[in-house]
Short mmCIF file of all heavy atoms in Angstrom, two decimals:
data_model
loop_
_atom_site.label_atom_id
_atom_site.label_comp_id
_atom_site.label_asym_id
_atom_site.label_seq_id
_atom_site.Cartn_x
_atom_site.Cartn_y
_atom_site.Cartn_z
N GLY A 1 0.81 -1.21 0.02
CA GLY A 1 0.00 0.01 -0.01
C GLY A 1 0.85 1.26 0.01
O GLY A 1 2.07 1.20 0.07
N GLN A 2 0.19 2.36 -0.10
CA GLN A 2 0.86 3.66 -0.15
C GLN A 2 0.40 4.53 1.00
O GLN A 2 -0.30 5.54 0.82
CB GLN A 2 0.58 4.32 -1.50
CG GLN A 2 0.99 3.46 -2.64
CD GLN A 2 0.26 3.83 -3.92
OE1 GLN A 2 -0.87 4.24 -3.94
NE2 GLN A 2 0.94 3.66 -5.05
N PRO A 3 0.71 4.13 2.26
CA PRO A 3 0.17 4.86 3.40
C PRO A 3 0.74 6.25 3.61
O PRO A 3 0.06 7.12 4.09
CB PRO A 3 0.47 3.93 4.59
CG PRO A 3 1.66 3.13 4.15
CD PRO A 3 1.49 3.00 2.66
N GLY A 4 2.02 6.48 3.25
CA GLY A 4 2.58 7.80 3.46
C GLY A 4 2.75 8.08 4.96
O GLY A 4 2.55 7.22 5.76
N VAL A 5 3.06 9.30 5.25
CA VAL A 5 3.24 9.69 6.67
C VAL A 5 2.15 10.65 7.03
O VAL A 5 1.56 11.35 6.18
CB VAL A 5 4.64 10.34 6.90
CG1 VAL A 5 5.74 9.33 6.61
CG2 VAL A 5 4.81 11.53 5.98
N ALA A 6 1.82 10.68 8.33
CA ALA A 6 0.75 11.62 8.79
C ALA A 6 1.09 13.03 8.35
O ALA A 6 2.21 13.49 8.44
CB ALA A 6 0.64 11.50 10.29
N GLY A 7 0.05 13.70 7.86
CA GLY A 7 0.22 15.07 7.42
C GLY A 7 0.53 15.23 5.91
O GLY A 7 0.31 16.28 5.34
N ALA A 8 1.10 14.16 5.35
CA ALA A 8 1.42 14.22 3.90
C ALA A 8 0.18 13.76 3.12
O ALA A 8 -0.58 12.91 3.59
CB ALA A 8 2.61 13.31 3.62
N PRO A 9 -0.03 14.34 1.91
CA PRO A 9 -1.18 13.85 1.11
C PRO A 9 -0.97 12.41 0.68
O PRO A 9 0.14 11.90 0.51
CB PRO A 9 -1.17 14.81 -0.08
CG PRO A 9 0.20 15.37 -0.15
CD PRO A 9 0.74 15.32 1.21
N GLY A 10 -2.09 11.71 0.55
CA GLY A 10 -2.07 10.35 0.09
C GLY A 10 -1.79 10.28 -1.40
O GLY A 10 -1.75 11.37 -2.07
N PRO A 11 -1.70 9.09 -1.98
CA PRO A 11 -1.36 8.97 -3.43
C PRO A 11 -2.56 9.38 -4.30
O PRO A 11 -2.45 9.51 -5.48
CB PRO A 11 -1.03 7.51 -3.59
CG PRO A 11 -1.78 6.84 -2.50
CD PRO A 11 -1.79 7.83 -1.33
N LEU A 12 -3.74 9.55 -3.66
CA LEU A 12 -4.94 9.89 -4.40
C LEU A 12 -5.63 11.01 -3.62
O LEU A 12 -5.81 10.93 -2.41
CB LEU A 12 -5.86 8.63 -4.48
CG LEU A 12 -7.20 8.84 -5.13
CD1 LEU A 12 -7.04 9.18 -6.61
CD2 LEU A 12 -8.01 7.54 -5.00
N ILE A 13 -5.99 12.10 -4.32
CA ILE A 13 -6.67 13.18 -3.68
C ILE A 13 -8.01 13.37 -4.42
O ILE A 13 -8.01 13.57 -5.65
CB ILE A 13 -5.87 14.50 -3.75
CG1 ILE A 13 -4.56 14.33 -3.02
CG2 ILE A 13 -6.68 15.67 -3.12
CD1 ILE A 13 -3.57 15.54 -3.13
N LEU A 14 -9.12 13.22 -3.69
CA LEU A 14 -10.44 13.35 -4.24
C LEU A 14 -11.07 14.66 -3.73
O LEU A 14 -10.87 15.01 -2.59
CB LEU A 14 -11.31 12.16 -3.85
CG LEU A 14 -10.78 10.78 -4.31
CD1 LEU A 14 -11.63 9.67 -3.70
CD2 LEU A 14 -10.78 10.71 -5.83
N GLU A 15 -11.80 15.31 -4.61
CA GLU A 15 -12.40 16.60 -4.26
C GLU A 15 -13.89 16.43 -3.92
O GLU A 15 -14.61 15.65 -4.52
CB GLU A 15 -12.22 17.57 -5.44
CG GLU A 15 -12.65 18.96 -5.08
CD GLU A 15 -12.30 19.95 -6.12
OE1 GLU A 15 -11.98 19.58 -7.32
OE2 GLU A 15 -12.33 21.15 -5.87
N SER A 16 -14.32 17.26 -2.99
CA SER A 16 -15.75 17.26 -2.59
C SER A 16 -16.25 18.69 -2.58
O SER A 16 -15.49 19.62 -2.29
CB SER A 16 -15.86 16.71 -1.15
OG SER A 16 -17.13 16.93 -0.61
N ASP A 17 -17.53 18.88 -2.90
CA ASP A 17 -18.16 20.20 -2.82
C ASP A 17 -18.58 20.53 -1.38
O ASP A 17 -18.68 21.68 -1.04
CB ASP A 17 -19.36 20.25 -3.71
CG ASP A 17 -19.03 20.27 -5.19
OD1 ASP A 17 -17.93 20.74 -5.54
OD2 ASP A 17 -19.85 19.78 -5.97
N ASP A 18 -18.78 19.52 -0.54
CA ASP A 18 -19.18 19.69 0.83
C ASP A 18 -18.57 18.53 1.64
O ASP A 18 -19.19 17.53 1.90
CB ASP A 18 -20.68 19.69 0.97
CG ASP A 18 -21.19 20.03 2.36
OD1 ASP A 18 -20.39 19.96 3.31
OD2 ASP A 18 -22.37 20.35 2.50
N LEU A 19 -17.31 18.71 2.06
CA LEU A 19 -16.55 17.64 2.64
C LEU A 19 -17.14 17.28 4.04
O LEU A 19 -17.15 16.08 4.38
CB LEU A 19 -15.09 18.01 2.78
CG LEU A 19 -14.17 16.88 3.31
CD1 LEU A 19 -14.33 15.60 2.48
CD2 LEU A 19 -12.74 17.32 3.34
N ARG A 20 -17.61 18.22 4.80
CA ARG A 20 -18.17 17.88 6.11
C ARG A 20 -19.38 16.95 5.96
O ARG A 20 -19.53 15.98 6.68
CB ARG A 20 -18.50 19.13 6.87
CG ARG A 20 -17.27 19.95 7.25
CD ARG A 20 -17.56 21.13 8.07
NE ARG A 20 -16.38 21.98 8.18
CZ ARG A 20 -15.27 21.75 8.86
NH1 ARG A 20 -15.18 20.61 9.54
NH2 ARG A 20 -14.28 22.61 8.86
N LYS A 21 -20.24 17.23 5.01
CA LYS A 21 -21.42 16.39 4.76
C LYS A 21 -20.97 15.02 4.26
O LYS A 21 -21.44 13.99 4.75
CB LYS A 21 -22.34 17.04 3.73
CG LYS A 21 -23.57 16.24 3.40
CD LYS A 21 -24.41 16.94 2.39
CE LYS A 21 -24.35 16.14 1.12
NZ LYS A 21 -24.93 16.69 -0.04
N ASP A 22 -20.06 14.98 3.29
CA ASP A 22 -19.57 13.72 2.74
C ASP A 22 -18.83 12.89 3.80
O ASP A 22 -18.93 11.69 3.84
CB ASP A 22 -18.65 13.96 1.53
CG ASP A 22 -19.44 14.48 0.35
OD1 ASP A 22 -20.68 14.40 0.33
OD2 ASP A 22 -18.80 15.05 -0.58
N PHE A 23 -18.06 13.56 4.66
CA PHE A 23 -17.33 12.90 5.75
C PHE A 23 -18.29 12.15 6.65
O PHE A 23 -18.12 10.99 6.94
CB PHE A 23 -16.57 13.98 6.54
CG PHE A 23 -15.76 13.45 7.67
CD1 PHE A 23 -14.39 13.17 7.47
CD2 PHE A 23 -16.26 13.24 8.94
CE1 PHE A 23 -13.60 12.72 8.51
CE2 PHE A 23 -15.47 12.83 9.98
CZ PHE A 23 -14.11 12.53 9.76
N ALA A 24 -19.39 12.80 7.05
CA ALA A 24 -20.37 12.19 7.88
C ALA A 24 -21.02 10.99 7.20
O ALA A 24 -21.23 9.93 7.82
CB ALA A 24 -21.46 13.19 8.32
N LEU A 25 -21.34 11.15 5.90
CA LEU A 25 -21.94 10.03 5.17
C LEU A 25 -20.99 8.88 5.05
O LEU A 25 -21.35 7.74 5.29
CB LEU A 25 -22.33 10.56 3.73
CG LEU A 25 -22.97 9.55 2.81
CD1 LEU A 25 -24.33 9.12 3.36
CD2 LEU A 25 -23.14 10.17 1.46
N MET A 26 -19.70 9.14 4.71
CA MET A 26 -18.72 8.06 4.56
C MET A 26 -18.47 7.36 5.90
O MET A 26 -18.32 6.16 5.95
CB MET A 26 -17.41 8.63 4.01
CG MET A 26 -17.51 9.03 2.57
SD MET A 26 -15.92 9.71 2.00
CE MET A 26 -16.46 10.78 0.69
N ARG A 27 -18.38 8.16 6.95
CA ARG A 27 -18.14 7.55 8.27
C ARG A 27 -19.30 6.61 8.63
O ARG A 27 -19.10 5.55 9.13
CB ARG A 27 -18.00 8.65 9.35
CG ARG A 27 -17.78 7.98 10.74
CD ARG A 27 -17.81 8.97 11.83
NE ARG A 27 -16.54 9.62 11.91
CZ ARG A 27 -16.35 10.75 12.56
NH1 ARG A 27 -17.32 11.35 13.21
NH2 ARG A 27 -15.13 11.30 12.59
N GLY A 28 -20.53 7.07 8.29
CA GLY A 28 -21.68 6.20 8.48
C GLY A 28 -21.61 4.91 7.68
O GLY A 28 -22.23 3.90 8.05
#
């Protein structure tokens, strides 16, 4: 895998229009 180090971006960056809403949905 490509875990990287804390604070560094992962190998994939996905964009959201409303990250707080999407975060809650994904966590669920």
